[in-house]
Amino acid sequence: MNDSAEFQRSPSHFTDRITADGGDGWPVEPGRYRLVVSRACPWASRSLVVRRLLGLEDALPLAVADPVQDERSWRFTLDPDGRDPVLGIAFLSEAYHARDKEYDGGISVPAIVDVPSGKLVTNDYQRITLDLETEWRALHREGAPDLYPEALRDEIDDWMDRVYRDINNGVYVAGFAKRQEKYDAAYARLFARLDQVSEHLAGQRYLVGDTITEADVRLFTTLVRFDAVYHGHFKCNRNKLTEDRVLWAYARDLFQTPGFGDTVDFDHIKRHYYMVHEDINPTRIVPRGPDLRGWRTPHHREELGGRPFGDGTPPPPPPPEEVVQPL
C-alpha cells in the first residue's frame, strides 16, 4: 500500500533465470531445482498448470506450502514434521535468507530453490512460466503443447499485459483499496476489461489463435478464484463469473482440460484468502459456498473449434502424490 491508499504489488526481488545456456549461473538440469508453490496463490498456480501441461513433474519436483502462512512466511506444515522433505526447511523464508541473509522483503510464491545449495534462485512469477516454456524445451514431455509460440508472442504479450493490469492484479487493487475512489476506479477497470474479454471470447475458443497459450493460463487462474473469493472477499461483485455466459463457459472449458482443473484446490484457495487477510475478514470465517459442482457441467465451447494442445497431446494424469481432491 502506498501513500495514495492504492495497492501496489511489489516487484520480484530475485530475478535470476534458469536457462538452457546457464547464462545467469543457473543451467537447466533435471532434478536440480525445487518449485515451491501454494495452491491458493494465483501466481503460483500459473506455474502448476504450465508444469503439468509440459510434463515437467520429474524434471522440476514440487513442494506445496500450507495455504495459511504466518508471520514467518509460507510454511511446510503439510509435510511430516513440518519440514520440506528435500530442502529440510520449515519456512520458505529460510531459502530466501540462504540466498541473501540481509533480505527483509516479502516472501512470495512461486519460488524456485536450488536443492544442492538450499538457496532461492528466483521468485519472478512473471518470468518463471515463460522460461519453463522456452528454456526447458529439452525436458518437455513428448507431445507437449507450445504455450508461447514465437509467431504469436506479440499478441500473447499484449493480452497478458492487459489481463494482468486490470484483472489478475485488478482484483487485488479493488480488494485492498483503502479509499472509496481507489476501489471504484479498480472496480470499473476490472469489469470493463472482463466485458472486453467476454466479447472477444464469444467468437473464439481461446484468447490467441486456436490453441491454449500462456495468455489463457494467466486468465484462468483469476477466473477460477472469482466466485469463491474475489466476488465477495474483494468486493468485485457487479456479477459472478457464473452470470457471464461466455466467461463461465470458457473457464469451465479450461477447468475440464487436463492440466488445469486437476491443479486447483478450492479448499486451499478459500482458507488462504479468508483466514490470512484479517484486515478484510477479521473473523477468519471461511464461507461454505459457492456450490462448485457447476465446474463439471458441459460448456459446449468445442463448437467454436480450436485444438486445445495444437499438434500435441493432453498430459497424463498427475502423479499420485499431486492429486487434488476432486469436486
Side-chain angles (χ1 to χ4, degrees):
M1 197 70 64
N2 62 15
D3 292 339
S4 68
E6 182 174 85
F7 172 78
Q8 296 287 339
R9 185 167 299 281
S10 300
S12 300
H13 185 81
F14 299 97
T15 58
D16 287 3
R17 296 175 59 192
I18 301 170
T19 57
D21 65 5
D24 278 2
W26 307 103
V28 172
E29 293 181 18
R32 173 173 173 175
Y33 307 99
R34 196 152 175 80
L35 175 64
V36 181
V37 304
S38 164
R39 292 191 185 276
C41 171
W43 321 107
S45 290
R46 296 176 178 180
S47 59
L48 283 171
V49 173
V50 168
R51 174 178 171 271
R52 280 274 293 121
L53 294 177
L54 301 180
L56 290 171
E57 289 96 332
D58 291 336
L60 184 60
L62 184 67
V64 179
D66 192 305
V68 182
Q69 75 265 54
D70 64 20
E71 69 279 359
R72 294 166 293 181
S73 82
W74 296 101
R75 51 189 184 163
F76 295 104
T77 46
L78 302 180
D79 294 301
D81 302 320
R83 291 186 176 272
D84 179 80
V86 174
L87 298 172
I89 59 177
F91 299 93
L92 179 56
S93 57
E94 296 173 58
Y96 276 68
H97 294 139
R99 169 70 183 271
D100 180 357
K101 63 182 180 181
E102 303 298 328
Y103 179 69
D104 63 356
I107 308 297
S108 64
V109 289
I112 297 183
V113 179
D114 177 51
V115 173
S117 68
K119 295 179 179 179
L120 177 77
V121 176
T122 178
N123 68 340
D124 189 353
Y125 66 95
Q126 297 281 46
R127 188 72 235 179
I128 286 173
T129 49
L130 296 179
D131 281 343
L132 292 180
E133 292 156 3
T134 56
E135 298 293 331
W136 291 64
R137 283 186 184 275
L139 300 177
H140 289 183
R141 67 177 175 87
E142 184 177 355
D146 187 353
L147 299 175
Y148 196 47
E150 193 164 358
L152 298 176
R153 286 182 188 176
D154 287 346
E155 189 176 356
I156 293 171
D157 289 345
D158 182 53
W159 270 112
M160 291 193 304
D161 178 66
R162 287 182 281 171
V163 166
Y164 170 79
R165 184 177 63 249
D166 298 327
I167 300 176
N168 298 148
N169 197 55
V171 293
Y172 285 85
V173 178
F176 288 117
K178 298 298 184 183
R179 289 212 298 262
Q180 186 71 47
E181 67 271 18
K182 297 299 182 182
Y183 163 77
D184 289 347
Y187 176 99
R189 291 193 301 269
L190 167 66
F191 283 102
R193 186 66 69 196
L194 285 171
D195 288 344
Q196 180 200 35
V197 173
S198 181
E199 182 179 358
H200 176 74
L201 288 170
Q204 63 183 74
R205 192 170 179 184
Y206 305 112
L207 277 174
V208 181
D210 66 350
T211 65
I212 292 167
T213 68
E214 172 80 11
D216 297 295
V217 174
R218 296 191 181 197
L219 177 57
F220 171 79
T221 58
T222 294
L223 295 183
V224 78
R225 288 162 172 77
F226 201 88
D227 287 4
V229 289
Y230 301 144
H231 178 271
H233 186 60
F234 279 175
K235 307 179 186 70
C236 299
N237 60 355
R238 190 195 72 180
N239 58 269
K240 296 178 180 178
L241 176 68
T242 54
E243 294 167 348
D244 184 302
R245 180 184 61 83
V246 173
L247 291 181
W248 175 222
Y250 166 81
R252 298 200 318 278
D253 185 6
L254 291 178
F255 185 89
Q256 295 170 32
T257 299
F260 283 84
D262 52 31
T263 70
V264 175
D265 191 319
F266 283 106
D267 172 63
H268 280 208
I269 290 168
K270 289 167 60 177
R271 284 197 289 127
H272 170 74
Y273 282 91
Y274 288 104
M275 295 183 71
V276 172
H277 301 157
E278 293 186 65
D279 54 334
I280 298 176
N281 185 39
T283 64
R284 304 182 82 212
I285 292 173
V286 180
R288 302 300 300 175
D291 186 343
L292 301 172
R293 290 174 294 180
W295 282 100
R296 292 295 184 190
T297 59
H299 52 77
H300 304 294
R301 293 283 292 180
E302 66 276 0
E303 297 170 8
L304 293 171
R307 302 173 301 147
F309 304 102
D311 295 328
T313 57
E321 66 275 12
E322 295 184 19
V323 172
V324 177
Q325 185 69 29
L327 298 181

